[in-house]
Amino acid sequence: MTQPVPFHLRDFTPYLLNRAAETTSLDFQAHYKSRYGMLRTEWRVLFHLGRYGPLTAKAICDRAGIHKTKTSRAVTALEARRFVTRRTVEADRRHTLLTLTRAGAAVFDDLSAAAERYNAQLMAQFTKEEAATLRRVLLRMAAMDAGD
Amino acid sequence: MTQPVPFHLRDFTPYLLNRAAETTSLDFQAHYKSRYGMLRTEWRVLFHLGRYGPLTAKAICDRAGIHKTKTSRAVTALEARRFVTRRTVEADRRHTLLTLTRAGAAVFDDLSAAAERYNAQLMAQFTKEEAATLRRVLLRMAAMDAGD
DNA sequence: CGTTGATGGTTACAAAAACAACCAATAGCG
DNA sequence: CGCTATTGGTTGTTTTTGTAACCATCAACG
């Protein structure tokens, strides 16, 4: 019972997205993995903290779409490397505010610059219109209408 | 040392790709996971076999970009559920040719139809041009110029 | 106030993936 | 032939992730 016009895997968007995501992430991984021994989740958390200021773990979860256990472990690892510090919010002792240390901020500067360069180089092969369309479509698909 | 014009995570393509890939994959996962208890890799392997005929494990690895250990284990699982059969190629006994059973083919038909529907629904919110651009850009990024 | 229910966050355990070592079969070459 | 290198594939072991249960703190309502 094969379909009349079987559709190719190349036309299945989730598959394409996964392949492209994997390829580009693996490429960029070299930066944070070899230089700083970080995992992807740790890099994401670090980026959020560096870019969007001190945040609670919950805020990172919401903005970055990372599960709270993953975030918790990433923060533990980042803290062990002395890239972030935790501080309990006295007004509501359930929250802990996360801040980058000076060392963490330096890593963020280095990596975010590398990310920007990588991104520029990656997108250089496409036209402005293609890049704009890609961004718009992906944002919509990821339901990233607000925040990140 | 914050950058003069810090760039947003929303502009970092690998991040967007990961978010979109995760969102769509999680959506579609419901189909093969709840109905057939399959894992993503298993679904991918099954799809390749259903769509592109009997293949060796190596061929699947190359075409689908899946590591050989993952493929091996996926095949073992699919065989246990009697969705595929292995047959050693006598001309070169290192190869084993994988084929879908009737049951496996039925699952493929069901799931590929579901995939096509899901994809159509996902892309319905975009214009033809957007969809075409997305496909072209993703194929290029994933370096999927040949095969899948 | 006191009890119930959220909420932010961590920890314990199970599932899956990454990585490396391994085995059997074959190709290539002296 | 016989030795070494390569190839297709599997298995073992360690990391990483997912899932669920848990703890502490606070909000809300009687």
Side-chain angles (χ1 to χ4, degrees):
Chain A
M1 274 295 148
T2 311
Q3 297 167 291
V5 182
F7 94 124
H8 278 266
L9 223 27
R10 309 170 70 91
D11 296 319
F12 189 46
T13 311
Y15 179 72
L16 289 179
L17 288 170
N18 270 296
R19 298 281 314 246
E22 209 167 318
T23 303
T24 57
S25 294
L26 244 50
D27 273 3
F28 185 71
Q29 188 185 46
H31 292 95
Y32 55 81
K33 191 173 185 183
S34 69
R35 280 196 236 172
Y36 301 107
M38 279 199 284
L39 254 31
R40 191 143 89 207
T41 309
E42 295 166 30
W43 144 244
R44 272 213 214 171
V45 167
L46 184 106
F47 196 114
H48 271 271
L49 288 175
R51 183 65 187 73
Y52 306 108
L55 295 168
T56 66
K58 180 59 162 52
I60 297 177
C61 293
D62 292 344
R63 299 178 64 119
I66 305 176
H67 193 268
K68 59 183 185 167
T69 63
K70 254 169 114 176
T71 305
S72 173
R73 291 196 256 247
V75 170
T76 303
L78 290 171
E79 196 186 23
R81 284 197 200 91
R82 312 216 176 282
F83 289 165
V84 317
T85 54
R86 294 165 141 119
R87 194 185 30 162
T88 308
V89 177
E90 284 308 320
D92 184 343
R93 299 182 48 79
R94 286 173 301 184
H95 297 77
T96 49
L97 208 56
L98 305 167
T99 316
L100 289 190
T101 61
R102 194 152 329 173
V107 174
F108 166 74
D109 284 339
D110 178 29
L111 285 180
S112 63
E116 199 167 5
R117 279 195 307 274
Y118 176 80
N119 196 68
Q121 179 211 309
L122 176 68
M123 299 314 288
Q125 60 187 316
F126 303 111
T127 67
K128 286 264 182 237
E129 286 75 22
E130 285 173 324
T133 300
L134 179 70
R135 182 171 183 275
R136 180 162 23 89
V137 169
L138 293 181
L139 282 169
R140 184 99 154 273
M141 268 187 192
M144 287 171 59
D145 294 317
D148 316 52
Chain B
M1 274 296 148
T2 311
Q3 297 168 291
V5 182
F7 93 124
H8 278 267
L9 223 27
R10 308 170 71 90
D11 297 318
F12 189 45
T13 312
Y15 178 73
L16 289 180
L17 288 170
N18 270 297
R19 299 279 316 244
E22 209 168 318
T23 303
T24 57
S25 295
L26 244 52
D27 273 3
F28 186 70
Q29 187 184 47
H31 292 95
Y32 55 81
K33 192 173 185 183
S34 68
R35 281 196 236 172
Y36 301 106
M38 279 199 285
L39 254 31
R40 191 144 90 205
T41 309
E42 296 166 29
W43 144 244
R44 272 213 211 172
V45 167
L46 184 106
F47 196 114
H48 271 272
L49 288 174
R51 183 64 187 74
Y52 306 108
L55 294 168
T56 66
K58 180 59 160 54
I60 297 177
C61 293
D62 292 344
R63 298 178 64 121
I66 306 176
H67 193 268
K68 58 183 186 168
T69 64
K70 256 169 112 175
T71 305
S72 174
R73 283 173 170 133
V75 170
T76 302
L78 290 172
E79 196 186 24
R81 284 196 200 93
R82 311 217 177 280
F83 290 165
V84 317
T85 54
R86 294 166 142 120
R87 193 179 29 135
T88 308
V89 177
E90 284 308 321
D92 184 343
R93 299 180 51 77
R94 284 172 303 184
H95 298 77
T96 49
L97 208 56
L98 305 167
T99 317
L100 289 190
T101 62
R102 195 151 327 174
V107 174
F108 166 73
D109 284 339
D110 178 28
L111 285 180
S112 64
E116 200 167 4
R117 279 196 306 274
Y118 175 80
N119 196 67
Q121 180 211 309
L122 176 68
M123 298 314 288
Q125 60 187 316
F126 304 112
T127 66
K128 285 266 182 237
E129 286 75 22
E130 285 173 325
T133 300
L134 179 71
R135 181 171 184 275
R136 180 163 23 89
V137 169
L138 293 181
L139 282 170
R140 183 99 155 273
M141 268 187 192
M144 287 170 59
D145 293 317
D148 316 52

